[in-house]
Amino acid sequence: MTTFTKISENETPTITVNPTARLSKINPNIYSGFTEHMGRCIYGGIYDPGNPLSDENGFRKDVLAALKELNIPVVRYPGGNFVATYHWLDGVGPKDQRPARPELAWLGTETNHFGTDEFLKWCEVLGTEPYFCFNFGTGTLDEAMAWVEYCNGTGNTYYANLRRKNGREEPYNVKYWALGNETYGPWQVEQTTKEAYAHKAYQWAKGNIHMYTASPDHLSNATAPLAAERAIEIASSLIDLARIENGVSPDEPRPTICFDEWNVWDPLRAEGRFGAEETYTLSDALAVGVFLNVFVRKSRDLGMACIAQSVNVISPLMTTKEGIIKQTTWWPLLLFSRYMRGWTIAAHVSCGTYEGETSPAWLRSAKDTPWLDASAVLDEDGYVNLVVVNVHESKSFKANLQGASGPVSVFTVTGSDVTATNMKGKQEVGIEESTWDGHDDYEFPKHSLQLLRWKA
């Protein structure tokens, strides 16, 4: 974790990193992904048969190559709001016999040409674990059990044999299953109460947390992911409370939290019914960096986190007929996926804070919003990796960085200003590499994310 002390604006910031203080192991699943039948995420995104850039399965090879760079451990499917009216049997068997259905979440038509077997084959090609979400809205327990049998059954049973008939002899061994999606929301088909959900979940199981943030104001936008940190802290406390009140033995493993949808998303700027194709800015990239800092800081509590979504729909990766575009938000995600693994280590930041309005408004009274947002890890190779996001739009900060020893590799994500984007025909935001000798104070540039890496 990273602790924080507020100091005046005219004092020199200090960042202290202690690689000997390993606090908690980081679950690699915090770098997971998410695909949903929404907009161009599936059709024209990961699946585009007939395109010369696709393989014999119809999978976009350029998308696969890019996603392999992230070493994604788990991908969630098929929703999302979509799942509340999705019936998995519509999406298996011969494609010409699969029914097209009205799609009620995003107001389209679902052809079902891409379904369970296609997704599981795609996961195998990508080298990731699948994570299925049950239809907890219009679905039934029988339907859910049949899906598990289809995917994992080994016996001479109906749905295991149906899988074999459809061309897959061996079971897929799907490990991760979720009970519905955002059933608390009025936008959800079969919205329910927490009491009714708990009763139904108990029967099916014999939560998850979702959060999107966005603001047209840069500082509100970049600090908004700190609301996720407070949500994780609250959920963690509720887990402890439930264990205490129900007399759960301390020998029972403590459940971890699955943060299975997160990202920057302004539904007014990128409407879901029109495909939710965001044009991300440098400000959004810094917000993604703060989100990921939160997940590293809270590694004790997190078992999984899934960025929504993997391609085209509120995504760091966009496809065209000719290729792919890596949005501004791709670059912090790449750095964290590559380097921020291992153990969360103790770090302390002393600096000034942003004092303006926050989004959500309650964040102002619930969390500090420092100019320098940081997390630190010790990886398996004995390197310290420190990420610092300077959210200040116009001010660089020269800080006393204690615990670093040169040579230090530096990876910087920034741009000309916080509105810089990669979606206007030119890559304005990427990764710049440099080195620092580890001496004297270090200057963190305005509106930037930097990863500093050195041997412990």
Side-chain angles (χ1 to χ4, degrees):
M1 64 182 294
T2 302
T3 52
F4 173 69
T5 299
K6 179 182 176 180
I7 61 176
S8 67
E9 294 289 331
N10 58 6
E11 292 182 81
T12 300
T14 299
I15 299 178
T16 305
V17 180
N18 183 357
T20 65
R22 299 194 302 186
L23 302 178
S24 51
K25 194 78 169 66
I26 297 169
N27 193 319
N29 288 351
I30 70 170
Y31 300 121
S32 296
F34 175 36
T35 58
E36 180 176 2
H37 287 254
M38 176 183 180
R40 294 193 307 123
C41 183
I42 302 296
Y43 305 111
I46 69 174
Y47 183 68
D48 197 7
N51 190 305
L53 296 175
S54 298
D55 66 12
E56 67 277 10
N57 300 301
F59 304 154
R60 283 284 292 256
K61 292 183 288 187
D62 52 350
V63 171
L64 284 166
L67 293 178
K68 284 180 180 179
E69 293 183 63
L70 300 179
N71 192 18
I72 301 170
V74 176
V75 176
R76 181 172 175 247
Y77 174 86
N81 293 347
F82 170 83
V83 79
T85 59
Y86 177 67
H87 299 283
W88 69 270
L89 277 167
D90 289 344
V92 298
K95 287 187 171 65
D96 62 357
Q97 296 177 26
R98 298 182 189 181
R101 304 281 192 193
E103 199 288 291
L104 302 183
W106 308 114
L107 305 179
T109 299
E110 175 52 52
T111 66
N112 285 301
H113 286 177
F114 187 97
T116 297
D117 291 295
E118 289 79 17
F119 176 71
L120 291 170
K121 177 65 175 179
W122 182 80
C123 287
E124 288 181 345
V125 175
L126 179 59
T128 191
E129 289 276 354
Y131 167 21
F132 279 145
C133 185
F134 288 128
N135 178 346
F136 220 51
T138 61
T140 66
L141 178 54
D142 280 345
E143 183 180 21
M145 292 190 298
W147 201 8
V148 175
E149 181 188 332
Y150 183 89
C151 293
N152 297 349
T154 59
N156 183 25
T157 58
Y158 178 82
Y159 288 106
N161 287 335
L162 179 61
R163 182 195 68 236
R164 296 181 181 107
K165 178 182 177 182
N166 289 338
R168 172 77 178 202
E169 178 63 32
E170 297 301 316
Y172 288 109
N173 297 320
V174 178
K175 295 191 299 186
Y176 301 109
W177 303 83
L179 301 182
N181 175 79
E182 296 180 1
T183 55
Y184 50 80
W187 56 86
Q188 197 66 229
V189 174
E190 287 287 319
Q191 177 192 9
T192 189
T193 64
K194 60 183 182 297
E195 292 83 5
Y197 177 89
H199 174 77
K200 188 174 180 180
Y202 178 77
Q203 299 304 322
W204 280 43
K206 293 199 180 156
N208 51 38
I209 300 171
H210 294 177
M211 185 172 290
Y212 297 95
T213 65
S215 174
D217 173 73
H218 162 64
L219 288 172
S220 296
N221 188 50
T223 57
L226 295 172
E229 188 161 29
R230 192 71 187 113
I232 293 168
E233 291 164 352
I234 292 169
S236 178
S237 296
L238 291 174
I239 290 171
D240 288 339
L241 179 62
R243 287 168 63 87
I244 293 166
E245 290 190 340
N246 290 280
V248 176
S249 169
D251 296 330
E252 288 289 325
R254 187 177 184 275
T256 54
I257 295 165
C258 180
F259 209 116
D260 60 4
E261 286 185 35
W262 70 270
N263 206 343
V264 178
W265 180 23
D266 183 346
L268 298 179
R269 185 173 68 187
E271 288 190 61
R273 63 194 178 104
F274 296 130
E277 298 197 10
E278 280 274 21
T279 294
Y280 285 122
T281 65
L282 174 61
S283 178
D284 300 324
L286 301 184
V288 164
V290 175
F291 257 121
L292 291 165
N293 271 345
V294 166
F295 297 153
V296 170
R297 291 196 293 258
K298 295 299 172 185
S299 61
R300 171 185 173 270
D301 295 309
L302 278 186
M304 188 183 295
C306 304
I307 187 170
Q309 294 184 17
S310 296
V311 187
N312 289 331
V313 177
I314 52 173
S315 175
L317 191 66
M318 305 296 290
T319 64
T320 68
K321 289 295 183 183
E322 294 76 31
I324 58 175
I325 300 169
K326 294 175 178 176
Q327 293 224 60
T328 61
T329 56
W330 172 269
W331 304 106
L333 187 62
L334 178 65
L335 286 175
F336 272 83
S337 298
R338 184 173 291 170
Y339 297 115
M340 298 298 281
R341 297 173 184 263
W343 291 267
T344 298
I345 58 176
H348 185 80
V349 176
S350 298
C351 68
T353 60
Y354 162 62
E355 300 291 349
E357 294 183 1
T358 58
S359 178
W362 59 258
L363 180 60
R364 169 52 56 228
S365 62
K367 294 287 292 183
D368 289 312
T369 49
W371 292 121
L372 302 178
D373 186 271
S375 69
V377 308
L378 180 71
D379 69 21
E380 300 285 355
D381 297 321
Y383 279 85
V384 174
N385 298 278
L386 168 70
V387 170
V388 178
V389 181
N390 179 0
V391 301
H392 205 297
E393 192 168 357
S394 59
K395 184 177 180 180
S396 299
F397 291 97
K398 186 168 285 189
N400 183 352
L401 181 49
Q402 300 175 2
S405 59
V408 178
S409 299
V410 180
F411 304 86
T412 302
V413 177
T414 191
S416 57
D417 58 64
V418 296
T419 65
T421 180
N422 292 349
M423 289 296 289
K424 294 181 179 178
K426 178 184 176 183
Q427 182 177 303
E428 298 182 8
V429 176
I431 296 174
E432 300 173 2
E433 298 187 27
S434 59
T435 58
W436 174 52
D437 62 12
H439 299 146
D440 303 318
D441 290 345
Y442 183 83
E443 185 168 288
F444 294 97
K446 63 184 179 181
H447 54 66
S448 71
L449 177 150
Q450 290 196 308
L451 186 148
L452 281 68
R453 175 176 168 82
W454 66 89
K455 188 73 173 180

